[in-house]
């Protein structure tokens, strides 16, 4: 097993449980895989896939980090492509009355975290990620952000970039601060950018 400094990125479909409970299996079994595929094929910065977790993709990248701007641009691209796919799916299945729910219920949130020691373990054809920082990245999904769509950037990742790198202007969102408190991990601080549909 290798333990390496690793970027973790989790695009997670919000509204997944509600959508699954309110639509029939035939529709949801087409919509969710299509959205996950769109996320996978919208990866432009060389992220690798560890797992696809039902309503989320666990991406990782060991070694040199992309620039902060490249990371945010990638997250924005995930989001815009995801919304294009939502509307394309609504149009494709417009004969199904539940298709109206596709862009109304489903959305996207993205977690970005960095771990100094993430274990990379080969399991079949995939690399399984293990370690405290993998747990931390998943715990960050369980936060109290009053919005279902956002990019969340952990303090662990933010600390890897200089002030100048982080202060480029963005015209599509504003930074806010937050934290979660975990019994075994303590306080985990983060910043987040609320997202709104661009398409």
């Amino acid at each position: 097993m290798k333990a390496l400094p690793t970027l973790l990125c989790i695009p997670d479909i919000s509204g997944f449980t509600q959508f699954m409970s309110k639509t029939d299996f035939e529709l949801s079994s087409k919509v969710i895989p299509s959205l996950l595929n769109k996320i996978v094929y919208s990866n432009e910065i060389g992220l690798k896939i560890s797992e696809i977790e039902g309503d989320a993709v666990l991406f990782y990248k060991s070694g040199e980090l992309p620039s902060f701007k490249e990371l945010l641009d990638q997250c924005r691209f995930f989001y815009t492509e995801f919304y294009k796919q939502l509307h394309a799916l609504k149009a494709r299945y417009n004969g199904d009355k539940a298709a109206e729910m596709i862009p109304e219920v489903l959305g996207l949130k993205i977690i970005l975290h960095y771990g100094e020691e993430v274990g990379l373990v080969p399991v079949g054809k995939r690399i399984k990620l293990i370690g405290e920082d993998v747990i931390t990245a998943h715990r960050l999904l369980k936060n109290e952000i009053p919005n279902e769509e956002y990019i969340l950037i952990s303090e662990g990742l933010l600390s890897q970039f200089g002030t100048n790198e982080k202060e480029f202007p963005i015209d599509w969102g504003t930074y806010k601060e937050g934290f979660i408190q975990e019994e075994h991990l303590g306080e985990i601080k983060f910043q987040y950018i609320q997202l709104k549909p661009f398409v």
Side-chain angles (χ1 to χ4, degrees), residues 68 71-73 75-76 79 108-110 112 145 147-153 158 166 168 170-177 190-196 198:
F68 192 68
L71 281 174
L72 287 192
D73 284 347
C75 289
R76 180 175 179 174
Y79 192 73
L108 192 68
K109 52 191 173 188
I110 304 167
L112 292 170
I145 294 174
N147 187 285
E148 286 295 315
E149 299 185 294
Y150 53 79
I151 303 167
L152 183 156
I153 310 154
L158 288 166
K166 293 182 288 190
F168 69 90
I170 56 172
D171 59 3
W172 47 271
T174 55
Y175 291 103
K176 298 187 178 182
E177 295 185 348
F190 58 80
Q191 291 187 18
Y192 67 97
I193 307 167
Q194 293 188 358
L195 292 168
K196 294 180 180 179
F198 299 112

Side-chain angles (χ1 to χ4, degrees), residues 135-148:
I135 297 168
T136 298
H138 284 89
R139 291 285 191 274
L140 285 166
L141 285 163
K142 309 298 183 186
N143 56 63
E144 296 185 5
I145 294 174
N147 187 285
E148 286 295 315

Side-chain angles (χ1 to χ4, degrees), residues 4-10 43 45-50 58-68 70-72 74-75 78 110-118 120 129 133-134 137 152-154 156-158 160-161:
L4 299 170
T6 301
L7 167 70
L8 304 172
C9 173
I10 309 177
N43 164 28
I45 59 171
L47 300 172
K48 296 179 180 179
I49 298 171
S50 172
L58 174 55
F59 287 113
Y60 72 99
K61 184 177 177 66
S62 299
E64 185 178 354
L65 282 169
S67 71
F68 192 68
E70 285 173 327
L71 281 174
L72 287 192
Q74 175 62 73
C75 289
F78 278 142
I110 304 167
I111 304 297
L112 292 170
H113 181 54
Y114 180 81
E116 291 287 352
E117 289 191 329
V118 174
L120 280 63
L129 305 181
D133 283 295
V134 181
L152 183 156
I153 310 154
S154 73
L157 178 58
L158 288 166
Q160 301 301 308
F161 298 101

Side-chain angles (χ1 to χ4, degrees), residues 45-101:
I45 59 171
L47 300 172
K48 296 179 180 179
I49 298 171
S50 172
E51 296 178 54
I52 296 176
E53 305 170 323
D55 59 350
V57 181
L58 174 55
F59 287 113
Y60 72 99
K61 184 177 177 66
S62 299
E64 185 178 354
L65 282 169
S67 71
F68 192 68
K69 183 177 187 306
E70 285 173 327
L71 281 174
L72 287 192
D73 284 347
Q74 175 62 73
C75 289
R76 180 175 179 174
F77 190 60
F78 278 142
Y79 192 73
T80 54
E81 291 300 292
F82 180 85
Y83 259 85
K84 287 177 186 175
Q85 191 70 356
L86 283 181
H87 290 289
L89 289 165
K90 177 183 175 182
R92 185 184 306 167
Y93 300 114
N94 65 358
D96 188 322
K97 63 180 181 181
E100 291 292 324
M101 295 175 56

